């Protein structure tokens, strides 16, 4: 979350590599991807930076930068791009980000102000249609630039439940309640529908593959923060160890799909 040097952590012991790129949401799913990778002879190289969407051209607003010390998100993205230019092209890339928080701010605060945390050509006071379109274009262009030379997987946004799941669940249990915590799927799509559209556009334009963990985290119009009274998150929006176990099967599809020539699939989406 500061500086430029990354430890390039390697998870697992497989001979082949896959690179996981993104922000803390990518870091929070590395266990699930590693579990799936290990079964297929892969290990996972992690290049993540807290609160830093891997979207080339993205910049933090001045108000956001004041919260950090030695924050080098833009340079980190540039470093990733330079590294990908020299690495063997048979190494696939997985991109996972919490896009919505950068576009609209957090949804875990009581009275959120929908003010973008980032910008591209100019800073915006609100998440206007112009801003969302520009953000979307950069998501598409960044993924397609990498996809020119290697296989790229984009992960659908992990649902942001909006409450600290373990804390709220423990309070419910104290009072004898046994109802799981969830977020309506419609609320999820209100924040993330534009991201789905951008990912679909990247799939259609340049063959990016899409991995959809919501197929395992959401059902019957709900995205669950817990299952059978066990938290899927360690806070309000980062998957826990149990949450990683739940989504591991969808990440297994990444490696299964690499054995087939189809480059236009959406993995896990019904």
């Amino acid at each position: 979350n500061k500086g430029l040097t990354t430890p390039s952590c390697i998870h697992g012991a497989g001979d082949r590599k896959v690179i996981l790129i993104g922000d803390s949401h990518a870091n929070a799913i590395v266990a699930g991807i590693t579990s799936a990778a290990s079964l297929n002879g892969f290990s996972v190289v992690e290049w993540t930076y807290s609160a830093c969407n891997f979207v080339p051209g993205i910049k933090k607003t001045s108000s956001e930068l004041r919260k950090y010390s030695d924050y080098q998100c833009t340079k980190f993205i540039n470093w990733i791009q330079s590294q990908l230019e020299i690495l063997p092209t048979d190494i696939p890339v997985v991109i996972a980000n919490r896009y919505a928080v950068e576009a609209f701010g957090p949804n875990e605060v009581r009275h959120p102000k929908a003010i973008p945390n980032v910008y591209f050509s100019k800073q915006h006071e609100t998440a206007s249609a112009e801003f969302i379109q520009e953000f979307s274009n950069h998501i598409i262009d960044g993924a397609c630039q990498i996809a020119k030379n290697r296989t790229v997987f984009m992960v659908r946004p992990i649902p942001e439940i909006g409450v600290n799941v373990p804390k709220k669940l423990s309070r419910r249990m104290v009072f004898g309640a046994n109802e799981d915590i969830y977020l309506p799927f419609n609320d999820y799509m209100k924040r993330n529908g534009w991201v789905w559209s951008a990912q679909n556009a990247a799939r259609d334009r340049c063959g990016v593959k899409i991995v959809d963990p919501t197929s395992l985290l959401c059902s019957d119009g709900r995205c669950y923060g817990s299952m059978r009274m066990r938290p899927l998150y360690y806070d309000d929006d980062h998957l826990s160890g149990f949450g990683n176990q739940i989504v591991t099967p969808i990440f297994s599809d990444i490696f299964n799909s690499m054995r087939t020539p189809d480059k236009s699939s959406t993995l896990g989406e019904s």
Side-chain angles (χ1 to χ4, degrees):
N1 57 15
K2 65 180 180 179
L4 181 57
T5 304
T6 172
S8 292
C9 295
I10 300 176
H11 305 262
D15 293 331
R16 300 178 68 188
K17 300 289 191 294
V18 60
I19 301 175
L20 175 63
I21 295 172
D23 56 15
S24 63
H25 273 209
N27 172 262
I29 62 173
V30 69
I33 294 179
T34 301
S35 294
S38 298
L39 296 174
N40 291 273
F42 280 80
S43 55
V44 181
V45 181
E46 182 186 352
W47 290 346
T48 63
Y49 206 112
S50 181
C52 179
N53 281 190
F54 177 76
V55 180
I58 200 169
K59 307 177 188 71
K60 285 286 187 181
T61 61
S62 53
S63 60
E64 277 293 296
L65 284 176
R66 285 195 288 270
K67 300 177 182 178
Y68 303 95
S69 174
D70 192 24
Y71 194 71
Q72 302 290 344
C73 174
T74 299
K75 290 184 178 179
F76 182 68
I77 292 171
N78 294 339
W79 176 83
I80 288 176
Q81 291 180 294
S82 67
Q83 291 300 300
L84 292 178
E85 289 178 0
I86 60 176
L87 287 176
T89 57
D90 62 346
I91 300 177
V93 164
V94 180
I95 301 173
N97 293 304
R98 187 187 181 190
Y99 300 98
V101 74
E102 305 299 357
F104 308 116
N107 69 331
E108 64 268 24
V109 296
R110 178 165 294 185
H111 300 292
K113 297 179 180 179
I115 301 174
N117 293 333
V118 298
Y119 69 101
F120 296 91
S121 60
K122 64 179 182 180
Q123 297 194 35
H124 293 259
E125 293 298 323
T126 61
S128 63
E130 176 190 2
F131 167 74
I132 293 298
Q133 186 61 61
E134 188 174 28
F135 202 156
S136 299
N137 290 342
H138 279 263
I139 291 173
I140 299 164
D141 292 344
C144 285
Q145 181 63 35
I146 300 174
K148 288 180 179 179
N149 300 309
R150 66 184 72 244
T151 302
V152 176
F153 298 88
M154 300 185 81
V155 180
R156 295 290 198 204
I158 299 295
E160 309 154 286
I161 304 303
V163 297
N164 188 300
V165 175
K167 288 184 177 179
K168 185 162 186 175
L169 198 65
S170 63
R171 289 171 184 151
R172 286 187 176 185
M173 294 172 72
V174 165
F175 292 100
N178 60 359
E179 182 184 0
D180 278 314
I181 294 169
Y182 66 87
L183 173 80
F185 186 75
N186 285 341
D187 289 355
Y188 165 80
M189 287 302 292
K190 285 177 183 177
R191 278 177 66 85
N192 293 287
W194 64 282
V195 180
W196 282 49
S197 295
Q199 292 175 328
N200 290 347
R203 177 192 60 197
D204 297 342
R205 180 192 298 181
C206 58
V208 164
K209 293 178 181 288
I210 298 173
V211 185
D212 184 15
T214 68
S215 64
L216 297 173
L217 296 171
C218 309
S219 62
D220 301 322
R222 298 176 174 182
C223 293
Y224 286 92
S226 62
M227 289 185 179
R228 301 180 297 279
M229 299 300 287
R230 186 173 178 182
L232 295 170
Y233 295 75
Y234 66 75
D235 54 12
D236 60 280
D237 62 270
H238 296 90
L239 288 183
S240 65
F242 179 54
N244 271 271
Q245 292 177 31
I246 296 298
V247 298
T248 291
I250 200 63
F251 294 130
S252 293
D253 287 347
I254 289 177
F255 305 99
N256 293 335
S257 73
M258 291 175 64
R259 303 190 186 100
T260 68
D262 176 21
K263 293 197 67 178
S264 62
S265 58
T266 299
L267 309 179
E269 189 171 287
S270 58

